[in-house]
Amino acid sequence: MTPVDLLDLDSLLDDEERQIRSVVRRLVDDRVRPHVADWYERGQVPARELAREFGRLGLLGMHLTGYGCAGSTAVAYGLACLELEAGDSGVRSLVSVQGSLAMYAIWRYGSEEQKQRWLPAMATGEAIGCFGLTEPDHGSDPASMATRARRDGDDWLLHGGKMWITNAPVADVAVIWARAEEGVRGFAVPLDTPGVSVREIRRKMSLRASLTGEIALDDVRLPADALLPGAAGLKAPLSCLTEARHGIVWGALGAARDCLETTLAYAGTRTQFGRPLAGFQLTQAKLADMAVEWQKGFLLALHLGRLADAGRLRPEQVSVGKLNNVREALAIARQCRTILGANGVSGEYPIMRHANNLESVLTYEGTSEIHQLVIGQRLTGLSAFA
Ligand SMILES: Cc1cc2nc3c(=O)[nH]c(=O)nc-3n(C[C@H](O)[C@H](O)[C@H](O)COP(=O)(O)OP(=O)(O)OC[C@H]3O[C@@H](n4cnc5c(N)ncnc54)[C@H](O)[C@@H]3O)c2cc1C
């Protein structure tokens, strides 16, 4: 239990869930916390090394079954995401993109050969995957994607480009979504295929401890068996996003918890006007409001996780969680920043790093506005965007 857990929400978890949570928390304390400020400052992260360590603990494709995956519950996976993101959103992104996007796409839509080829290696972290849906000119509206796939004899030719792709600079395989004559199709593309080039996107002011890239596809020739046979239409990549968004619902709470715990400790020791900041009513009002939002966010995540484990989680329900928990986590990070005063902007404390990271989390996997529109559509029966 942490000081933020006012309601003893821990008691809603079972022993196994608490144990997984403790193991991941320890890993983050040992392997992420001591280094992450430096990675963030340098805009680098030892992604391969971390992937192997996460693989050893069974965190990659953790909620998938078979092919070396741990087959855990959605709630256990969510708790792992929370602990990883308490370290850094970029580190959680490495795991989410690997497990919920790249591995899930192959696991759900791939052929048996594709699963055998990629999933065991991805589960151990020996192979890294990425997921290419966004393009330079098409983000929120992937239905308009310009990347094309056309048949050439038995082969496929892919042409176009993907932008803002997490893990791309270090990945071995990309799940690429492209428009074919019959609609959107997915392909497992080894990144050493001739015609594929990857450029790292530098100068990000957010998610700096995560590698992001642009993938150019110049008439890339792929054998017929690169096609994910089960993925037909845009609903396939969107189903992968639903998986990953569930992890984000939990993950954002981790960043917020780290901000809150840091701030509680700081406000308890920093004195102004002869008393600790924590003793001022205005500070306590901020802390109380933030802790209340955190508890509500946790209850929401847990409810969605239990729905997922019962096989009943619907996309618009995940939108409720992603919209609320990322928005509130960002609000918490910004409010904590005020309590640390000038130290709030220093890299010596994690607050500004979390706040900056959460700006990306607010945008990727569907922006807040898109999730509002998804919820609005469900409420009104009218689509305001598609
Ligand atoms: C660090 C990082 C990592 C990422 N990793 C990946 C990845 O691994 N794979 C991947 O495929 N993508 C990835 N993305 C891309 C991300 O998913 C897109 O940025 C996101 O979908 C938004 O698209 P966009 O940036 O093109 O914004 P746009 O779609 O251009 O939107 C800009 C603004 O307009 C608003 N808007 C758009 N349409 C509407 C509408 N109909 N009504 C109201 N408002 C609207 C949006 O909400 C937003 O506020 C990543 C992004 C970042 C920042």
Side-chain angles (χ1 to χ4, degrees):
M1 194 164 138
T2 76
V4 177
D5 188 5
L6 288 169
L7 299 178
D8 191 17
L9 299 177
D10 236 29
S11 61
L12 299 177
L13 304 175
D14 65 27
D15 286 345
E16 196 181 328
E17 289 163 348
R18 272 193 290 268
Q19 198 199 340
I20 289 173
R21 195 256 322 268
S22 304
V23 168
V24 182
R25 191 178 290 181
R26 242 190 337 269
L27 176 79
V28 169
D29 284 345
D30 292 346
R31 285 294 293 121
V32 178
R33 275 184 206 287
H35 311 289
V36 67
D38 187 46
W39 297 337
Y40 192 89
E41 205 169 321
R42 291 191 289 119
Q44 285 167 4
V45 62
R48 282 209 169 268
E49 222 177 281
L50 285 178
R52 286 198 189 97
E53 291 192 39
F54 295 156
R56 265 195 293 279
L57 269 189
L59 300 179
L60 304 176
M62 178 177 169
H63 62 309
L64 306 179
T65 48
Y67 308 97
C69 302
S72 76
T73 62
V75 169
Y77 175 57
L79 288 163
C81 287
L82 189 157
E83 295 303 329
L84 289 166
E85 197 150 351
D88 190 83
S89 305
V91 172
R92 196 267 307 142
S93 298
L94 168 69
V95 172
S96 291
V97 169
Q98 176 87 345
S100 292
L101 292 178
M103 290 176 75
Y104 179 79
I106 295 170
W107 181 84
R108 168 109 188 248
Y109 299 112
S111 64
E112 190 52 38
E113 292 73 39
Q114 288 165 338
K115 292 179 195 184
Q116 296 289 355
R117 176 174 179 191
W118 293 112
L119 294 179
M122 291 170 88
T124 59
E126 287 308 309
I128 294 185
C130 64
F131 183 90
L133 181 63
T134 304
E135 301 184 349
D137 296 328
H138 307 281
S140 301
D141 179 20
S144 305
M145 70 175 67
T147 299
R148 291 285 178 266
R150 66 182 166 84
R151 282 196 182 274
D152 187 40
D154 280 347
D155 293 347
W156 286 92
L157 285 178
L158 250 56
H159 193 83
K162 298 291 172 179
M163 188 74 182
W164 292 109
I165 307 305
T166 301
N167 294 352
V170 74
D172 302 284
V173 60
V175 172
I176 296 288
W177 301 96
R179 184 167 293 286
E181 216 175 302
E182 67 269 28
V184 171
R185 305 302 310 260
F187 298 85
V189 182
L191 285 177
D192 59 2
T193 309
V196 179
S197 50
V198 178
R199 177 185 70 86
E200 186 177 348
I201 298 174
R202 304 288 302 172
R203 294 197 178 165
K204 281 180 297 162
M205 296 297 150
S206 170
L207 232 60
R208 290 179 57 75
S210 167
L211 301 172
T212 316
E214 176 174 9
I215 303 177
L217 303 154
D218 184 10
D219 277 337
V220 176
R221 182 171 291 279
L222 295 169
D225 63 8
L227 177 78
L228 300 179
L234 199 59
K235 65 181 190 317
L238 295 184
S239 72
C240 303
L241 293 176
T242 299
E243 288 293 303
R245 286 166 181 164
H246 173 248
I248 292 173
V249 171
W250 291 85
L253 293 170
R257 190 192 70 202
D258 198 47
C259 290
L260 268 169
E261 288 180 350
T262 303
T263 302
L264 279 169
Y266 185 91
T269 53
R270 166 89 174 168
T271 56
Q272 290 292 293
F273 301 98
R275 73 164 90 153
L277 299 179
F280 295 121
Q281 290 184 1
L282 289 177
T283 307
Q284 290 193 7
K286 289 179 183 179
L287 292 170
D289 285 349
M290 290 190 288
V292 167
E293 283 308 326
W294 195 90
Q295 310 285 299
K296 284 154 63 179
F298 190 91
L299 283 169
L300 175 55
L302 189 58
H303 176 61
L304 296 180
R306 300 278 187 233
L307 284 178
D309 281 327
R312 291 194 288 124
L313 183 61
R314 294 197 309 265
E316 73 275 10
Q317 295 172 326
V318 181
S319 286
V320 172
K322 206 254 176 190
L323 174 65
N324 183 77
N325 284 13
V326 180
R327 189 165 64 185
E328 294 307 325
L330 184 54
I332 287 172
R334 288 174 177 158
Q335 188 70 287
C336 286
R337 216 288 304 150
T338 68
I339 297 178
L340 266 75
N343 279 327
V345 307
S346 164
E348 299 297 323
Y349 294 88
I351 310 266
M352 194 79 168
R353 177 169 52 79
H354 284 309
N356 285 352
N357 282 339
L358 288 166
E359 294 289 347
S360 285
V361 181
L362 195 72
T363 286
Y364 70 23
E365 306 278 353
T367 64
S368 289
E369 293 79 5
I370 292 301
H371 290 296
Q372 286 172 319
L373 294 175
V374 170
I375 296 164
Q377 181 179 17
R378 178 69 192 184
L379 290 172
T380 64
L382 301 170
S383 167
F385 66 113

